[in-house]
Amino acid sequence: MNDPTDFGPDRPVLLRGGTVLPMDDAHSVLPGTDVLVVGDRIAEVGPDLPAPDGAVVVDATGGIVMPGMIDTHRHMWQTAMRGYGADWTLTQYFVWYYLEYGKLWRPEDVHAGNLLAGIEAIDAGVTTVVDWSHGLRTVDHADAAVDALNAVPGRFVLAYGNIQAPPAEWTGAPEFRDFVRRRITGDDMLGFQIAFDVTGDPAFPEKPAFEVARELGVPVTTHAGVWGATSDDGIRLMHEHGFMTPETVYVHAASLSADSYHRIAATGGSISVSTESEQSAGQGYPPTWAIRAHDIPVSLSMDTSVWWSGDLFSAMRTTLGADRSREHMEAHARGETITHCSLRADQVVDWATRGGARAIGRSDDLGSIHVGKKADIVLIKNDASPVSFPLLNPYGHVAFQAQRGDVHTVLVNGRVVKHEHRLVGVDLVAARSEVERTVDYLRSTLGEEAWQKGMNPDVPETKILDNPYTYTDYHSAATHSR
Ligand SMILES: [Zn+2]
């Protein structure tokens, strides 16, 4: 019974003596604090709690105990191609998935991507992921997506989408309704959203899809403010037709006017910021610096592992960097100096936890460590790492010092899914062979030339200008390398 590696679902878990970040409005820090989990809930938070009989006791001293992180926008199916598009722009991404090869994906390929992405998420302390699943060109693909999510002990929200057909068409299909009836059963481990983009076509062809979402009582999530793809027109059409609601999640919202931000703020929706993505794909400048002024709720996301990391440490770090970078740059353009950063480390930790919970309508039971809430908890602790001490500023430590390898223990719904840096109850070997089969299939179907070309887009020609400082023999590294 006291075998520490036997994590039976009925065993209480006591995280002993960590620095707890409960995530409240004051962004409190509770040093030397225990967290007791009984069943799927947080039973007690405080110093020196007695360990119930049979409890799994985790030594959290020297570590940080925080709520599980929540990613509100990840195309999990694309994780089967991890890193393939590292040098892409949005244009290359659209060509590869939307126009050319996305339609090659079979249900088993969606399963493979989702399985690996789900495992990767819990390993990194991301206990809830919104699977922005826009590769569901048949209901068989959707069944495969859910089968994979069910096979991973994480919490997920299936955001059902299909880039290969108009939203009005696939949301109106009887088999879509049937799928929702069959697979979305109210289990709190699997939420549901409908995912599609609004083109800005004045005829508003997306209207029937919004009506389906309204009828089913489920939120819509949409890529908004994506340079060259979705614009203020889409927001205005949604607003004029009454489809902007507090449940709506606007992904990126990076190239929108103040008018669109006003409409989002006025209707209570939230923005999912994917800074790593916006910085290199080209949706627009990561928008937190602009939307802070509108008091629009923010959550964080990492978009897709075909380019970027699957962890929210990177999201927090890049979001702080992009926001501060912009603030300095704008001030310099005015001849001014920023002496105090507006965006603070504790705020991005809040966005990665409470912000995500709010975005998916789960503020009541997720996103913070309080008695009675669901036990989705992460312990960041790595005694072997020189980065683990001194622990002076816990929020700053999470945002700038910690990384996925420091995730020591993870609980989802009260269940230990990672313990002492090892995943529990997860078949990574099976996920690896599924992903290998998908990669082999895609690679052989495309042929070696197209496969390599897709991964290695041409580099535009750069003209190196003559250096005007002719009084020195020094030549820059850039000149030498050409
Ligand atoms: Zn996306």
Side-chain angles (χ1 to χ4, degrees), residues 104-331:
L104 294 177
W105 285 65
R106 305 161 302 177
E108 59 260 51
D109 304 317
V110 171
H111 190 279
N114 272 28
L115 191 61
L116 183 59
I119 294 170
E120 174 183 9
I122 56 173
D123 181 63
V126 180
T127 51
T128 301
V129 183
V130 175
D131 177 20
W132 224 101
S133 194
H134 56 358
L136 307 181
R137 61 190 175 83
T138 73
V139 163
D140 290 343
H141 290 71
D143 278 313
V146 171
D147 289 344
L149 299 180
N150 285 344
V152 179
R155 199 182 294 280
F156 300 101
V157 175
L158 178 74
Y160 193 119
N162 175 7
I163 51 177
Q164 305 297 340
E169 189 180 303
W170 56 263
T171 55
E175 57 269 28
F176 171 75
R177 301 292 186 112
D178 179 59
F179 168 86
V180 177
R181 256 193 309 275
R182 282 189 296 112
R183 302 305 299 263
I184 308 302
T185 56
D187 174 2
D188 83 346
M189 298 301 287
L190 183 69
F192 191 67
Q193 299 176 345
I194 298 180
F196 58 88
D197 297 342
V198 182
T199 57
D201 176 344
F204 198 37
E206 298 83 12
K207 188 175 177 215
F210 279 107
E211 285 166 344
V212 170
R214 178 183 285 166
E215 187 201 320
L216 294 174
V218 298
V220 169
T221 177
T222 186
H223 291 112
V226 173
W227 183 262
T230 58
S231 69
D232 291 320
D233 292 334
I235 297 287
R236 188 178 39 75
L237 284 163
M238 284 175 68
H239 195 219
E240 285 171 1
H241 288 83
F243 293 119
M244 289 177 77
T245 71
E247 295 77 33
T248 311
V249 178
Y250 307 86
V251 175
H252 303 305
S255 47
L256 294 176
S257 67
D259 176 71
S260 287
Y261 291 141
H262 287 311
R263 293 177 196 260
I264 294 172
T267 50
S270 67
I271 294 177
S272 173
V273 176
S274 306
T275 304
E276 267 190 282
S277 173
E278 289 131 22
Q279 283 182 320
S280 69
Q283 294 91 342
Y285 199 91
T288 57
W289 69 280
I291 59 186
R292 276 196 274 110
H294 297 277
D295 203 22
I296 297 169
V298 173
S299 62
L300 300 183
S301 58
M302 52 68 51
D303 204 348
T304 168
S305 290
V306 77
W307 267 280
W308 305 290
S309 72
D311 68 81
L312 289 188
F313 296 109
S314 306
M316 289 186 273
R317 193 170 303 174
T318 52
T319 300
L320 274 176
D323 192 291
R324 291 173 178 182
S325 196
R326 183 69 183 234
E327 193 169 35
H328 288 301
M329 197 180 78
E330 298 277 331

Side-chain angles (χ1 to χ4, degrees), residues 71-84:
D71 182 331
T72 54
H73 152 243
R74 182 181 306 197
H75 309 295
M76 292 174 70
W77 59 293
Q78 296 174 351
T79 301
M81 286 175 67
R82 181 193 303 291
Y84 180 92

